[in-house]
Amino acid sequence: QVQLVESGGGLVQAGGSLRLSCAASGRTFSDYYMGWFRQAPGKDREFVSGISRNGVNTFYADSVKGRFTISRANAENTLYLQMNSLKPEDTAVYYCAGGRYGIYAAEERWDYWGQGTQVTVSS
């Protein structure tokens, strides 16, 4: 199995920044496409960002484009999400995900999930 553990969430004021991390273990990290999803209270889980196996190609939801940056350090088996200019609507539980074949907005296309980390942005 691939195990994913998120960290870095917390409470921040609007306009502030956070960096989330996702530590992977159990398989070869560089073999997997990686992504971030989030789930706000009462809403479905939504795609935030994805990154290719070598980190060259990245994708972002329109709602976070220009504010969030996804990256990975394969030698450290770690995925990151740098979140700047945070807004109250970014409040959600953030999950990292791993997949074998590509980057997809649909959560059912991903194979492994972390337990999530809470991000709360106050107005």
Side-chain angles (χ1 to χ4, degrees), residues 2 4 13 24 27 29 31 46 51-52 54 69 76-77 88-90 93-96 100 115-116 120:
V2 172
L4 303 173
Q13 290 187 321
R27 297 284 176 86
F29 180 68
D31 286 348
E46 66 172 342
I51 190 166
S52 60
N54 61 6
T69 303
E76 307 297 332
N77 292 349
E89 50 262 47
D90 295 318
V93 177
Y94 283 72
Y95 300 88
C96 65
R100 292 169 291 173
Q115 292 299 305
T120 302

Side-chain angles (χ1 to χ4, degrees), residues 34-55:
M34 299 296 295
W36 290 96
F37 287 73
R38 66 188 183 186
Q39 188 166 23
K43 295 186 177 181
D44 293 333
R45 195 170 299 185
E46 66 172 342
F47 174 79
V48 175
S49 184
I51 190 166
S52 60
R53 290 169 292 184
N54 61 6

Side-chain angles (χ1 to χ4, degrees), residues 8-11 18 20 91-94 116-120:
L11 175 64
L18 286 172
L20 306 183
T91 295
V93 177
Y94 283 72
T117 185
Q118 177 71 49
V119 172
T120 302

Side-chain angles (χ1 to χ4, degrees), residues 15-95:
S17 297
L18 286 172
R19 188 165 88 150
L20 306 183
S21 298
C22 174
S25 62
R27 297 284 176 86
T28 303
F29 180 68
S30 60
D31 286 348
Y32 292 88
Y33 297 86
M34 299 296 295
W36 290 96
F37 287 73
R38 66 188 183 186
Q39 188 166 23
K43 295 186 177 181
D44 293 333
R45 195 170 299 185
E46 66 172 342
F47 174 79
V48 175
S49 184
I51 190 166
S52 60
R53 290 169 292 184
N54 61 6
V56 171
N57 299 310
T58 58
F59 298 88
Y60 299 92
D62 286 344
S63 59
V64 307
K65 194 174 300 179
R67 300 188 297 121
F68 291 10
T69 303
I70 190 170
S71 62
R72 65 192 297 164
N74 285 348
E76 307 297 332
N77 292 349
T78 304
L79 174 74
Y80 300 100
L81 185 68
Q82 178 67 47
M83 304 185 295
N84 298 327
S85 302
L86 283 162
K87 304 174 181 179
E89 50 262 47
D90 295 318
T91 295
V93 177
Y94 283 72
Y95 300 88

